[in-house]
Amino acid sequence: MNSTFGQLVRRPEAGAIVSLIAVAAFFVIFGSADLGKFAGAASWVNFAANLGIVAIPLGMLMIAGELDISIGAMIPAGSMSIAIVSGYYELPIIVGIVVSLGLGVIVGLINGLLATRTSVPSLIITLGTLVAMQGVVLSASVLLTGNASVPLTAPDWAKGLFGHFFAGSYQIIIVWWLAFVAVYWFFMHRSRFGNWVFALGGDKESARNAGIPTDRLLIGMFVLSATSASFVGMCGAILFNSAQVSGGMNYIFNAVVSVVVGGVLLTGGFGSVLGIFIGTLTFAVVNQGIYFTDIDRNWSSLIIGVMLLAAVVMNNAFRNMAMSAATKKKG
């Protein structure tokens, strides 16, 4: 029993599970929250799904020792591109989808190529593309349509796939999120590519010397991160029948917090897809769950800050325990 418990505690998602239980207990004890009522609410699940699709690729990059904050601009870029192409210019929706996702591929390629071909940190590179894409989206919208908001009417098949509510008020993007989680979990924990990602976060030079195609792997992950953000923006435009140039910046902070709470170390080399999934749920519970309690919603930022600090401490402690156990086994 002790051995099993010790193995569970040393897993990357251990901190995320503790955080989720602690947040739920806090809301019940101090906020008089009705967990049954909250569990059936769609608001926090919808929030988690939109955030989670962005958070997992970002978390994989952080495990590899990199960071992508351009996601803050790619979400409105994804929504505005499909709205302009298929809403304002009335081209087939499939063209708008290709343009929206293609824009994510292009920006991801730029981020990846600059990160692998230069010595500039990925934080600075993606900060540059973040600001640049904000300018591009706003300028293109005003130049092409004369407005910062563009309506979009998608056909039924596109609504059914990317932008409708089911079972009352649950967004279809929840299904996409769960599907992506399953694919990413297999990629990171059941394939050699996942081992390569962890190796990158541990020591990039050693990984390269071991024959791992580090540059191609990083470029692919940057493309995945930017395209995932475009996908979320595209789904939002189809769901709400419109797009705006604003929005998306909160995703940077929210996604990083979800990833860190999910057990990923900022130094790289440690984390899990399941942990990020649970971390996203935890952040959604804090962000949306406060509306189901007697707690003043102005306290939500304090709760998130304390949760983030506690998660960082726990993640380091659990990683040290895992490393200590691995060292004992080798000895």
Side-chain angles (χ1 to χ4, degrees):
M1 178 66 73
N2 291 336
S3 176
T4 302
F5 178 75
Q7 291 175 356
L8 290 174
V9 168
R10 289 191 292 268
R11 293 187 61 82
E13 56 269 15
I17 295 173
V18 172
S19 297
L20 181 57
I21 294 173
V23 167
F26 176 83
F27 280 165
V28 170
I29 296 171
F30 297 101
S32 302
D34 184 346
L35 290 183
K37 181 180 178 181
F38 177 69
S43 60
W44 70 278
V45 186
N46 293 335
F47 180 89
N50 284 272
L51 177 61
I53 289 178
V54 177
I56 294 181
L58 176 65
M60 290 162 55
L61 265 175
M62 290 174 64
I63 290 173
E66 303 291 344
L67 184 62
D68 180 9
I69 63 171
S70 67
I71 55 175
M74 292 313 302
I75 291 173
S79 62
M80 286 301 297
S81 56
I82 191 173
I84 292 173
V85 170
S86 298
Y88 186 81
Y89 288 104
E90 299 182 345
L91 293 176
I93 194 69
I94 189 66
V95 178
I97 291 173
V98 170
V99 171
S100 179
L101 299 181
L103 187 59
V105 172
I106 291 171
V107 174
L109 280 172
I110 292 172
N111 287 336
L113 288 171
L114 289 175
T116 55
R117 304 295 169 81
T118 70
S119 58
V120 181
S122 56
L123 171 63
I124 305 302
I125 292 170
T126 56
L127 174 62
T129 51
L130 167 71
V131 176
M133 285 306 300
Q134 285 179 319
V136 168
V137 171
L138 177 59
S139 300
S141 177
V142 173
L143 179 65
L144 296 174
T145 70
N147 291 291
S149 178
V150 181
L152 170 68
T153 301
D156 291 342
W157 71 265
K159 277 279 188 182
L161 278 176
F162 304 111
H164 81 278
F165 292 98
F166 68 94
S169 53
Y170 293 91
Q171 298 176 16
I172 192 62
I173 200 171
I174 296 171
V175 178
W176 284 99
W177 177 41
L178 296 176
F180 286 142
V181 168
V183 172
Y184 291 141
W185 177 85
F186 179 83
F187 174 87
M188 286 294 292
H189 305 292
R190 288 294 182 271
S191 76
R192 61 177 181 174
F193 301 105
N195 293 330
W196 292 353
V197 173
F198 283 102
L200 271 175
D203 190 331
K204 188 176 297 183
E205 288 302 319
S206 296
R208 184 179 289 112
N209 294 335
I212 296 175
T214 55
D215 289 354
R216 281 183 292 171
L217 187 61
L218 280 176
I219 291 172
M221 286 195 293
F222 274 109
V223 169
L224 186 62
S225 177
T227 307
S228 297
S230 293
F231 178 81
V232 170
M234 180 194 78
C235 290
I238 294 174
L239 176 66
F240 298 111
N241 301 313
S242 67
Q244 296 181 338
V245 296
S246 60
M249 291 299 292
N250 285 339
Y251 274 82
I252 300 173
F253 171 78
N254 295 349
V256 170
V257 172
S258 298
V259 169
V260 173
V261 171
V264 176
L265 291 181
L266 294 174
T267 52
F270 189 77
S272 73
V273 170
L274 179 59
I276 299 171
F277 174 78
I278 298 172
T280 304
L281 287 177
T282 304
F283 185 86
V285 168
V286 173
N287 191 276
Q288 299 293 310
I290 199 165
Y291 296 103
F292 295 84
T293 69
D294 298 331
I295 302 172
D296 188 333
R297 66 190 62 177
N298 293 321
W299 288 98
S300 61
S301 294
L302 174 62
I303 297 172
I304 292 172
V306 171
M307 181 179 66
L308 177 61
L309 292 173
V312 171
V313 173
M314 284 191 297
N315 293 345
N316 278 286
F318 293 148
R319 181 181 183 276
N320 290 336
M321 292 172 65
M323 295 295 293
S324 175
T327 302
K328 289 180 180 178
K329 286 182 179 180
K330 289 180 180 179

PDB file of all heavy atoms in Angstrom, residues 13-48:
ATOM      1  N   GLU A  13       0.944  14.301 -12.253  1.00  0.00           N
ATOM      2  CA  GLU A  13      -0.406  14.816 -12.040  1.00  0.00           C
ATOM      3  C   GLU A  13      -0.832  14.807 -10.573  1.00  0.00           C
ATOM      4  O   GLU A  13      -1.962  15.224 -10.253  1.00  0.00           O
ATOM      5  CB  GLU A  13      -1.423  14.025 -12.867  1.00  0.00           C
ATOM      6  CG  GLU A  13      -1.428  12.538 -12.619  1.00  0.00           C
ATOM      7  CD  GLU A  13      -0.488  11.777 -13.537  1.00  0.00           C
ATOM      8  OE1 GLU A  13       0.384  12.405 -14.174  1.00  0.00           O
ATOM      9  OE2 GLU A  13      -0.632  10.546 -13.615  1.00  0.00           O
ATOM     10  N   ALA A  14       0.047  14.348  -9.690  1.00  0.00           N
ATOM     11  CA  ALA A  14      -0.315  14.279  -8.275  1.00  0.00           C
ATOM     12  C   ALA A  14      -0.672  15.649  -7.721  1.00  0.00           C
ATOM     13  O   ALA A  14      -1.667  15.802  -7.001  1.00  0.00           O
ATOM     14  CB  ALA A  14       0.842  13.669  -7.474  1.00  0.00           C
ATOM     15  N   GLY A  15       0.125  16.644  -8.043  1.00  0.00           N
ATOM     16  CA  GLY A  15      -0.148  17.999  -7.565  1.00  0.00           C
ATOM     17  C   GLY A  15      -1.472  18.535  -8.084  1.00  0.00           C
ATOM     18  O   GLY A  15      -2.198  19.241  -7.370  1.00  0.00           O
ATOM     19  N   ALA A  16      -1.798  18.201  -9.350  1.00  0.00           N
ATOM     20  CA  ALA A  16      -3.059  18.664  -9.934  1.00  0.00           C
ATOM     21  C   ALA A  16      -4.252  18.062  -9.212  1.00  0.00           C
ATOM     22  O   ALA A  16      -5.255  18.737  -8.968  1.00  0.00           O
ATOM     23  CB  ALA A  16      -3.106  18.307 -11.421  1.00  0.00           C
ATOM     24  N   ILE A  17      -4.148  16.775  -8.871  1.00  0.00           N
ATOM     25  CA  ILE A  17      -5.239  16.111  -8.159  1.00  0.00           C
ATOM     26  C   ILE A  17      -5.427  16.735  -6.777  1.00  0.00           C
ATOM     27  O   ILE A  17      -6.556  17.003  -6.345  1.00  0.00           O
ATOM     28  CB  ILE A  17      -4.962  14.598  -8.040  1.00  0.00           C
ATOM     29  CG1 ILE A  17      -4.952  13.959  -9.439  1.00  0.00           C
ATOM     30  CG2 ILE A  17      -5.997  13.928  -7.151  1.00  0.00           C
ATOM     31  CD1 ILE A  17      -4.512  12.501  -9.446  1.00  0.00           C
ATOM     32  N   VAL A  18      -4.314  16.980  -6.076  1.00  0.00           N
ATOM     33  CA  VAL A  18      -4.384  17.610  -4.757  1.00  0.00           C
ATOM     34  C   VAL A  18      -5.014  18.996  -4.861  1.00  0.00           C
ATOM     35  O   VAL A  18      -5.864  19.383  -4.045  1.00  0.00           O
ATOM     36  CB  VAL A  18      -2.982  17.707  -4.132  1.00  0.00           C
ATOM     37  CG1 VAL A  18      -3.019  18.542  -2.851  1.00  0.00           C
ATOM     38  CG2 VAL A  18      -2.433  16.323  -3.843  1.00  0.00           C
ATOM     39  N   SER A  19      -4.616  19.766  -5.903  1.00  0.00           N
ATOM     40  CA  SER A  19      -5.154  21.111  -6.095  1.00  0.00           C
ATOM     41  C   SER A  19      -6.656  21.073  -6.347  1.00  0.00           C
ATOM     42  O   SER A  19      -7.410  21.884  -5.796  1.00  0.00           O
ATOM     43  CB  SER A  19      -4.450  21.800  -7.273  1.00  0.00           C
ATOM     44  OG  SER A  19      -3.073  21.964  -7.019  1.00  0.00           O
ATOM     45  N   LEU A  20      -7.111  20.142  -7.183  1.00  0.00           N
ATOM     46  CA  LEU A  20      -8.534  20.046  -7.501  1.00  0.00           C
ATOM     47  C   LEU A  20      -9.349  19.704  -6.255  1.00  0.00           C
ATOM     48  O   LEU A  20     -10.404  20.308  -6.000  1.00  0.00           O
ATOM     49  CB  LEU A  20      -8.754  18.987  -8.584  1.00  0.00           C
ATOM     50  CG  LEU A  20     -10.197  18.767  -9.050  1.00  0.00           C
ATOM     51  CD1 LEU A  20     -10.801  20.066  -9.569  1.00  0.00           C
ATOM     52  CD2 LEU A  20     -10.256  17.683 -10.119  1.00  0.00           C
ATOM     53  N   ILE A  21      -8.850  18.747  -5.471  1.00  0.00           N
ATOM     54  CA  ILE A  21      -9.563  18.363  -4.244  1.00  0.00           C
ATOM     55  C   ILE A  21      -9.580  19.528  -3.258  1.00  0.00           C
ATOM     56  O   ILE A  21     -10.608  19.815  -2.624  1.00  0.00           O
ATOM     57  CB  ILE A  21      -8.889  17.130  -3.607  1.00  0.00           C
ATOM     58  CG1 ILE A  21      -9.047  15.910  -4.520  1.00  0.00           C
ATOM     59  CG2 ILE A  21      -9.492  16.842  -2.233  1.00  0.00           C
ATOM     60  CD1 ILE A  21      -8.268  14.692  -4.063  1.00  0.00           C
ATOM     61  N   ALA A  22      -8.452  20.225  -3.140  1.00  0.00           N
ATOM     62  CA  ALA A  22      -8.361  21.348  -2.201  1.00  0.00           C
ATOM     63  C   ALA A  22      -9.306  22.480  -2.589  1.00  0.00           C
ATOM     64  O   ALA A  22      -9.965  23.074  -1.727  1.00  0.00           O
ATOM     65  CB  ALA A  22      -6.920  21.860  -2.137  1.00  0.00           C
ATOM     66  N   VAL A  23      -9.388  22.784  -3.889  1.00  0.00           N
ATOM     67  CA  VAL A  23     -10.270  23.859  -4.355  1.00  0.00           C
ATOM     68  C   VAL A  23     -11.730  23.490  -4.100  1.00  0.00           C
ATOM     69  O   VAL A  23     -12.529  24.318  -3.621  1.00  0.00           O
ATOM     70  CB  VAL A  23     -10.038  24.138  -5.851  1.00  0.00           C
ATOM     71  CG1 VAL A  23     -11.155  25.004  -6.419  1.00  0.00           C
ATOM     72  CG2 VAL A  23      -8.693  24.832  -6.054  1.00  0.00           C
ATOM     73  N   ALA A  24     -12.096  22.244  -4.421  1.00  0.00           N
ATOM     74  CA  ALA A  24     -13.472  21.801  -4.196  1.00  0.00           C
ATOM     75  C   ALA A  24     -13.826  21.862  -2.708  1.00  0.00           C
ATOM     76  O   ALA A  24     -14.911  22.337  -2.329  1.00  0.00           O
ATOM     77  CB  ALA A  24     -13.662  20.382  -4.728  1.00  0.00           C
ATOM     78  N   ALA A  25     -12.897  21.415  -1.870  1.00  0.00           N
ATOM     79  CA  ALA A  25     -13.138  21.447  -0.425  1.00  0.00           C
ATOM     80  C   ALA A  25     -13.261  22.882   0.079  1.00  0.00           C
ATOM     81  O   ALA A  25     -14.117  23.189   0.927  1.00  0.00           O
ATOM     82  CB  ALA A  25     -12.005  20.728   0.306  1.00  0.00           C
ATOM     83  N   PHE A  26     -12.430  23.765  -0.451  1.00  0.00           N
ATOM     84  CA  PHE A  26     -12.465  25.180  -0.043  1.00  0.00           C
ATOM     85  C   PHE A  26     -13.820  25.787  -0.368  1.00  0.00           C
ATOM     86  O   PHE A  26     -14.415  26.500   0.458  1.00  0.00           O
ATOM     87  CB  PHE A  26     -11.351  25.942  -0.751  1.00  0.00           C
ATOM     88  CG  PHE A  26     -11.348  27.417  -0.473  1.00  0.00           C
ATOM     89  CD1 PHE A  26     -10.763  27.923   0.675  1.00  0.00           C
ATOM     90  CD2 PHE A  26     -11.942  28.308  -1.360  1.00  0.00           C
ATOM     91  CE1 PHE A  26     -10.759  29.282   0.940  1.00  0.00           C
ATOM     92  CE2 PHE A  26     -11.946  29.672  -1.109  1.00  0.00           C
ATOM     93  CZ  PHE A  26     -11.355  30.160   0.047  1.00  0.00           C
ATOM     94  N   PHE A  27     -14.326  25.521  -1.577  1.00  0.00           N
ATOM     95  CA  PHE A  27     -15.608  26.087  -1.985  1.00  0.00           C
ATOM     96  C   PHE A  27     -16.760  25.535  -1.145  1.00  0.00           C
ATOM     97  O   PHE A  27     -17.704  26.246  -0.828  1.00  0.00           O
ATOM     98  CB  PHE A  27     -15.866  25.813  -3.466  1.00  0.00           C
ATOM     99  CG  PHE A  27     -15.149  26.748  -4.398  1.00  0.00           C
ATOM    100  CD1 PHE A  27     -15.023  26.452  -5.745  1.00  0.00           C
ATOM    101  CD2 PHE A  27     -14.600  27.925  -3.937  1.00  0.00           C
ATOM    102  CE1 PHE A  27     -14.369  27.311  -6.606  1.00  0.00           C
ATOM    103  CE2 PHE A  27     -13.936  28.795  -4.780  1.00  0.00           C
ATOM    104  CZ  PHE A  27     -13.824  28.497  -6.128  1.00  0.00           C
ATOM    105  N   VAL A  28     -16.672  24.258  -0.791  1.00  0.00           N
ATOM    106  CA  VAL A  28     -17.739  23.642   0.009  1.00  0.00           C
ATOM    107  C   VAL A  28     -17.719  24.176   1.437  1.00  0.00           C
ATOM    108  O   VAL A  28     -18.759  24.535   2.001  1.00  0.00           O
ATOM    109  CB  VAL A  28     -17.602  22.110   0.014  1.00  0.00           C
ATOM    110  CG1 VAL A  28     -18.550  21.491   1.036  1.00  0.00           C
ATOM    111  CG2 VAL A  28     -17.885  21.542  -1.372  1.00  0.00           C
ATOM    112  N   ILE A  29     -16.518  24.259   2.028  1.00  0.00           N
ATOM    113  CA  ILE A  29     -16.404  24.651   3.439  1.00  0.00           C
ATOM    114  C   ILE A  29     -16.635  26.148   3.632  1.00  0.00           C
ATOM    115  O   ILE A  29     -17.384  26.567   4.521  1.00  0.00           O
ATOM    116  CB  ILE A  29     -15.015  24.255   3.987  1.00  0.00           C
ATOM    117  CG1 ILE A  29     -14.863  22.730   3.974  1.00  0.00           C
ATOM    118  CG2 ILE A  29     -14.824  24.801   5.404  1.00  0.00           C
ATOM    119  CD1 ILE A  29     -13.459  22.257   4.291  1.00  0.00           C
ATOM    120  N   PHE A  30     -15.994  26.960   2.788  1.00  0.00           N
ATOM    121  CA  PHE A  30     -16.046  28.407   2.994  1.00  0.00           C
ATOM    122  C   PHE A  30     -17.045  29.119   2.086  1.00  0.00           C
ATOM    123  O   PHE A  30     -17.406  30.270   2.354  1.00  0.00           O
ATOM    124  CB  PHE A  30     -14.650  29.013   2.776  1.00  0.00           C
ATOM    125  CG  PHE A  30     -13.626  28.527   3.750  1.00  0.00           C
ATOM    126  CD1 PHE A  30     -12.714  27.537   3.381  1.00  0.00           C
ATOM    127  CD2 PHE A  30     -13.567  29.032   5.033  1.00  0.00           C
ATOM    128  CE1 PHE A  30     -11.755  27.074   4.277  1.00  0.00           C
ATOM    129  CE2 PHE A  30     -12.614  28.585   5.940  1.00  0.00           C
ATOM    130  CZ  PHE A  30     -11.710  27.597   5.561  1.00  0.00           C
ATOM    131  N   GLY A  31     -17.472  28.465   1.019  1.00  0.00           N
ATOM    132  CA  GLY A  31     -18.388  29.120   0.091  1.00  0.00           C
ATOM    133  C   GLY A  31     -19.762  28.505   0.043  1.00  0.00           C
ATOM    134  O   GLY A  31     -20.617  28.950  -0.730  1.00  0.00           O
ATOM    135  N   SER A  32     -19.977  27.478   0.865  1.00  0.00           N
ATOM    136  CA  SER A  32     -21.280  26.792   0.896  1.00  0.00           C
ATOM    137  C   SER A  32     -21.721  26.342  -0.484  1.00  0.00           C
ATOM    138  O   SER A  32     -22.897  26.460  -0.854  1.00  0.00           O
ATOM    139  CB  SER A  32     -22.349  27.716   1.514  1.00  0.00           C
ATOM    140  OG  SER A  32     -21.976  28.115   2.806  1.00  0.00           O
ATOM    141  N   ALA A  33     -20.779  25.843  -1.277  1.00  0.00           N
ATOM    142  CA  ALA A  33     -21.082  25.431  -2.650  1.00  0.00           C
ATOM    143  C   ALA A  33     -21.811  24.096  -2.655  1.00  0.00           C
ATOM    144  O   ALA A  33     -21.528  23.212  -1.842  1.00  0.00           O
ATOM    145  CB  ALA A  33     -19.800  25.322  -3.465  1.00  0.00           C
ATOM    146  N   ASP A  34     -22.748  23.962  -3.580  1.00  0.00           N
ATOM    147  CA  ASP A  34     -23.463  22.707  -3.798  1.00  0.00           C
ATOM    148  C   ASP A  34     -22.782  21.996  -4.957  1.00  0.00           C
ATOM    149  O   ASP A  34     -22.984  22.353  -6.120  1.00  0.00           O
ATOM    150  CB  ASP A  34     -24.927  22.990  -4.118  1.00  0.00           C
ATOM    151  CG  ASP A  34     -25.746  21.707  -4.265  1.00  0.00           C
ATOM    152  OD1 ASP A  34     -25.136  20.618  -4.376  1.00  0.00           O
ATOM    153  OD2 ASP A  34     -26.986  21.797  -4.294  1.00  0.00           O
ATOM    154  N   LEU A  35     -21.933  21.000  -4.651  1.00  0.00           N
ATOM    155  CA  LEU A  35     -21.171  20.325  -5.689  1.00  0.00           C
ATOM    156  C   LEU A  35     -22.064  19.634  -6.715  1.00  0.00           C
ATOM    157  O   LEU A  35     -21.724  19.566  -7.893  1.00  0.00           O
ATOM    158  CB  LEU A  35     -20.204  19.313  -5.071  1.00  0.00           C
ATOM    159  CG  LEU A  35     -19.016  19.888  -4.298  1.00  0.00           C
ATOM    160  CD1 LEU A  35     -18.116  18.771  -3.803  1.00  0.00           C
ATOM    161  CD2 LEU A  35     -18.235  20.861  -5.159  1.00  0.00           C
ATOM    162  N   GLY A  36     -23.204  19.133  -6.277  1.00  0.00           N
ATOM    163  CA  GLY A  36     -24.113  18.488  -7.210  1.00  0.00           C
ATOM    164  C   GLY A  36     -24.638  19.465  -8.250  1.00  0.00           C
ATOM    165  O   GLY A  36     -24.697  19.158  -9.442  1.00  0.00           O
ATOM    166  N   LYS A  37     -24.989  20.654  -7.788  1.00  0.00           N
ATOM    167  CA  LYS A  37     -25.487  21.686  -8.698  1.00  0.00           C
ATOM    168  C   LYS A  37     -24.381  22.171  -9.626  1.00  0.00           C
ATOM    169  O   LYS A  37     -24.594  22.385 -10.817  1.00  0.00           O
ATOM    170  CB  LYS A  37     -26.042  22.855  -7.878  1.00  0.00           C
ATOM    171  CG  LYS A  37     -26.605  23.989  -8.723  1.00  0.00           C
ATOM    172  CD  LYS A  37     -27.138  25.101  -7.821  1.00  0.00           C
ATOM    173  CE  LYS A  37     -27.668  26.269  -8.658  1.00  0.00           C
ATOM    174  NZ  LYS A  37     -28.162  27.377  -7.787  1.00  0.00           N
ATOM    175  N   PHE A  38     -23.188  22.315  -9.062  1.00  0.00           N
ATOM    176  CA  PHE A  38     -22.066  22.800  -9.873  1.00  0.00           C
ATOM    177  C   PHE A  38     -21.642  21.779 -10.909  1.00  0.00           C
ATOM    178  O   PHE A  38     -21.290  22.124 -12.034  1.00  0.00           O
ATOM    179  CB  PHE A  38     -20.885  23.145  -8.965  1.00  0.00           C
ATOM    180  CG  PHE A  38     -19.657  23.584  -9.709  1.00  0.00           C
ATOM    181  CD1 PHE A  38     -19.627  24.786 -10.385  1.00  0.00           C
ATOM    182  CD2 PHE A  38     -18.523  22.772  -9.752  1.00  0.00           C
ATOM    183  CE1 PHE A  38     -18.500  25.186 -11.076  1.00  0.00           C
ATOM    184  CE2 PHE A  38     -17.394  23.163 -10.438  1.00  0.00           C
ATOM    185  CZ  PHE A  38     -17.382  24.380 -11.103  1.00  0.00           C
ATOM    186  N   ALA A  39     -21.649  20.499 -10.540  1.00  0.00           N
ATOM    187  CA  ALA A  39     -21.218  19.449 -11.463  1.00  0.00           C
ATOM    188  C   ALA A  39     -22.091  19.399 -12.706  1.00  0.00           C
ATOM    189  O   ALA A  39     -21.636  19.022 -13.791  1.00  0.00           O
ATOM    190  CB  ALA A  39     -21.237  18.098 -10.761  1.00  0.00           C
ATOM    191  N   GLY A  40     -23.347  19.796 -12.583  1.00  0.00           N
ATOM    192  CA  GLY A  40     -24.253  19.764 -13.720  1.00  0.00           C
ATOM    193  C   GLY A  40     -24.256  21.040 -14.532  1.00  0.00           C
ATOM    194  O   GLY A  40     -24.985  21.137 -15.527  1.00  0.00           O
ATOM    195  N   ALA A  41     -23.447  22.030 -14.136  1.00  0.00           N
ATOM    196  CA  ALA A  41     -23.413  23.302 -14.850  1.00  0.00           C
ATOM    197  C   ALA A  41     -22.491  23.213 -16.059  1.00  0.00           C
ATOM    198  O   ALA A  41     -21.413  22.623 -15.991  1.00  0.00           O
ATOM    199  CB  ALA A  41     -22.947  24.417 -13.909  1.00  0.00           C
ATOM    200  N   ALA A  42     -22.930  23.814 -17.153  1.00  0.00           N
ATOM    201  CA  ALA A  42     -22.159  23.733 -18.391  1.00  0.00           C
ATOM    202  C   ALA A  42     -21.070  24.792 -18.474  1.00  0.00           C
ATOM    203  O   ALA A  42     -20.095  24.619 -19.207  1.00  0.00           O
ATOM    204  CB  ALA A  42     -23.092  23.868 -19.592  1.00  0.00           C
ATOM    205  N   SER A  43     -21.204  25.883 -17.731  1.00  0.00           N
ATOM    206  CA  SER A  43     -20.304  27.021 -17.899  1.00  0.00           C
ATOM    207  C   SER A  43     -18.844  26.657 -17.686  1.00  0.00           C
ATOM    208  O   SER A  43     -17.976  27.018 -18.491  1.00  0.00           O
ATOM    209  CB  SER A  43     -20.707  28.158 -16.947  1.00  0.00           C
ATOM    210  OG  SER A  43     -20.629  27.717 -15.598  1.00  0.00           O
ATOM    211  N   TRP A  44     -18.563  25.916 -16.614  1.00  0.00           N
ATOM    212  CA  TRP A  44     -17.165  25.616 -16.314  1.00  0.00           C
ATOM    213  C   TRP A  44     -16.607  24.545 -17.249  1.00  0.00           C
ATOM    214  O   TRP A  44     -15.423  24.561 -17.584  1.00  0.00           O
ATOM    215  CB  TRP A  44     -17.003  25.202 -14.857  1.00  0.00           C
ATOM    216  CG  TRP A  44     -17.585  23.867 -14.510  1.00  0.00           C
ATOM    217  CD1 TRP A  44     -18.887  23.605 -14.232  1.00  0.00           C
ATOM    218  CD2 TRP A  44     -16.878  22.631 -14.392  1.00  0.00           C
ATOM    219  NE1 TRP A  44     -19.047  22.263 -13.959  1.00  0.00           N
ATOM    220  CE2 TRP A  44     -17.839  21.651 -14.041  1.00  0.00           C
ATOM    221  CE3 TRP A  44     -15.555  22.258 -14.547  1.00  0.00           C
ATOM    222  CZ2 TRP A  44     -17.503  20.319 -13.854  1.00  0.00           C
ATOM    223  CZ3 TRP A  44     -15.212  20.934 -14.350  1.00  0.00           C
ATOM    224  CH2 TRP A  44     -16.162  19.980 -14.010  1.00  0.00           C
ATOM    225  N   VAL A  45     -17.457  23.627 -17.718  1.00  0.00           N
ATOM    226  CA  VAL A  45     -16.991  22.607 -18.661  1.00  0.00           C
ATOM    227  C   VAL A  45     -16.677  23.233 -20.013  1.00  0.00           C
ATOM    228  O   VAL A  45     -15.659  22.915 -20.647  1.00  0.00           O
ATOM    229  CB  VAL A  45     -18.039  21.485 -18.813  1.00  0.00           C
ATOM    230  CG1 VAL A  45     -17.483  20.364 -19.689  1.00  0.00           C
ATOM    231  CG2 VAL A  45     -18.452  20.938 -17.461  1.00  0.00           C
ATOM    232  N   ASN A  46     -17.545  24.127 -20.476  1.00  0.00           N
ATOM    233  CA  ASN A  46     -17.290  24.840 -21.735  1.00  0.00           C
ATOM    234  C   ASN A  46     -16.010  25.657 -21.643  1.00  0.00           C
ATOM    235  O   ASN A  46     -15.196  25.677 -22.565  1.00  0.00           O
ATOM    236  CB  ASN A  46     -18.465  25.760 -22.068  1.00  0.00           C
ATOM    237  CG  ASN A  46     -19.742  25.011 -22.406  1.00  0.00           C
ATOM    238  OD1 ASN A  46     -19.694  23.861 -22.844  1.00  0.00           O
ATOM    239  ND2 ASN A  46     -20.881  25.643 -22.196  1.00  0.00           N
ATOM    240  N   PHE A  47     -15.842  26.328 -20.510  1.00  0.00           N
ATOM    241  CA  PHE A  47     -14.629  27.122 -20.288  1.00  0.00           C
ATOM    242  C   PHE A  47     -13.395  26.232 -20.328  1.00  0.00           C
ATOM    243  O   PHE A  47     -12.386  26.560 -20.969  1.00  0.00           O
ATOM    244  CB  PHE A  47     -14.739  27.837 -18.938  1.00  0.00           C
ATOM    245  CG  PHE A  47     -13.560  28.692 -18.590  1.00  0.00           C
ATOM    246  CD1 PHE A  47     -13.505  30.015 -18.978  1.00  0.00           C
ATOM    247  CD2 PHE A  47     -12.495  28.171 -17.857  1.00  0.00           C
ATOM    248  CE1 PHE A  47     -12.413  30.816 -18.658  1.00  0.00           C
ATOM    249  CE2 PHE A  47     -11.402  28.958 -17.528  1.00  0.00           C
ATOM    250  CZ  PHE A  47     -11.361  30.280 -17.934  1.00  0.00           C
ATOM    251  N   ALA A  48     -13.468  25.089 -19.643  1.00  0.00           N
ATOM    252  CA  ALA A  48     -12.330  24.174 -19.593  1.00  0.00           C
ATOM    253  C   ALA A  48     -11.996  23.613 -20.961  1.00  0.00           C
ATOM    254  O   ALA A  48     -10.816  23.451 -21.312  1.00  0.00           O
ATOM    255  CB  ALA A  48     -12.628  23.036 -18.617  1.00  0.00           C
TER     256      ALA A  48
END
